[in-house]
Amino acid sequence: MEEIKKLFNVITEAKHLVALTGAGVSTLSGIRDFRGKNGLYNDMDAEKIFSLDYFEKDPSFYYSHAGSFIYNLDEKEPSIVHNMLGELEKRGFLKSLITQNIDLLHQKGGNKNVIEIHGSPVMHYCLRCAGIRIGYEEAAAAVRKGEMPKCPKCEKVLKPAITFFGESLPIEALKQATIESQKADVMLVLGTSLTVHPAASMPEYTLRKNGKIVIINNQPTPLDSRAFMRFEELEPVFEGIKSLL
């Protein structure tokens, strides 16, 4: 508990606190991560599911495989980590949140300043017809019926605005994430093993500007030796923070 009190002081005394979150944050909400011991890579061809080339050949592969973990997000509730990050923002401590996740749970948890560097399923669009867009609810309704959302003009299957393999990350989101990482005097690195770039570079920007990083992850990361503080488990740390707020 002494270490959590120390972390609490670091959080509340930071001038510009930023969080970077990965899939490990959402496992507490029942969403599987990609590379963990029970990750999607173990029993699904995730690189094929999220391949732009394969989507253009056969979009049904994405929708049939992603349906169970992207189009049932209404059933998922934010964990204590999501809720406490929302509370930290509400109280003025957390300035922004950079996430690799595509599950919209940070917004459900109350965060408003969310930078989604891997895109988001909140919008689906046509790869052929400019200006054709539908929201998550409409797309999810189609998927739940065993269908695929289609363009009303050309009937081409719509693609989610998630960044697939073979696509560039959203330029504006990446730019904003870089700016926030450079401004941060403290960055919370939560539930990510820092193996996927450019997201994994964000704590480096903070360190280069003489900021501190705090890593909470149940697997080793390349920056563990440079972390100001290091914890293994998210839930007890955020339970402790909750008790101190």
Side-chain angles (χ1 to χ4, degrees), residues 46-223:
E47 292 196 13
K48 191 173 175 182
I49 295 171
F50 294 105
S51 163
L52 179 62
D53 287 343
Y54 204 84
F55 184 88
E56 291 180 317
K57 291 176 191 171
D58 180 15
S60 68
F61 188 82
Y62 162 78
Y63 280 107
S64 62
H65 287 76
S68 62
F69 61 95
I70 289 186
Y71 297 99
N72 67 347
L73 293 177
D74 289 347
E75 301 170 11
K76 304 299 181 182
E77 293 300 324
S79 70
I80 185 168
V81 181
H82 297 107
N83 289 330
M84 289 312 301
L85 288 171
E87 187 65 23
L88 288 172
E89 182 182 313
K90 181 181 175 183
R91 297 199 188 195
F93 297 120
L94 184 66
K95 304 306 180 187
S96 63
L97 188 150
I98 304 162
T99 188
Q100 298 169 261
N101 299 340
I102 54 174
D103 52 37
L104 310 177
L105 286 175
H106 284 302
Q107 291 89 335
K108 265 192 175 184
N111 285 106
K112 301 195 181 302
N113 298 321
V114 180
I115 303 168
E116 296 172 303
I117 55 175
H118 287 171
S120 169
V122 76
M123 187 263 287
H124 290 60
Y125 65 98
C126 183
L127 290 166
R128 179 182 296 168
C129 303
I132 299 297
R133 300 214 179 343
I134 69 167
Y136 173 80
E137 286 302 328
E138 188 176 346
V143 175
R144 289 178 194 132
K145 290 190 291 184
E147 301 171 358
M148 295 184 288
K150 293 186 178 179
C151 175
K153 281 188 178 179
C154 70
E155 290 295 305
K156 190 177 178 70
V157 174
L158 301 180
K159 180 190 174 295
I162 298 166
T163 304
F164 280 22
F165 296 109
E167 287 187 296
S168 299
L169 293 178
I171 294 172
E172 193 54 40
L174 189 57
K175 177 183 174 183
Q176 195 58 37
T178 302
I179 291 170
E180 286 297 301
S181 299
Q182 291 173 333
K183 286 169 68 175
D185 61 331
V186 178
M187 175 181 280
L188 303 177
V189 181
L190 310 173
T192 173
S193 296
L194 298 177
T195 55
V196 177
H197 289 272
S201 303
M202 297 302 151
E204 292 271 10
Y205 292 127
T206 299
L207 290 167
R208 285 177 203 160
K209 294 290 184 176
N210 297 316
K212 298 172 181 176
I213 64 170
V214 176
I215 298 174
I216 311 177
N217 193 58
N218 62 7
Q219 295 178 337
T221 85
L223 294 181

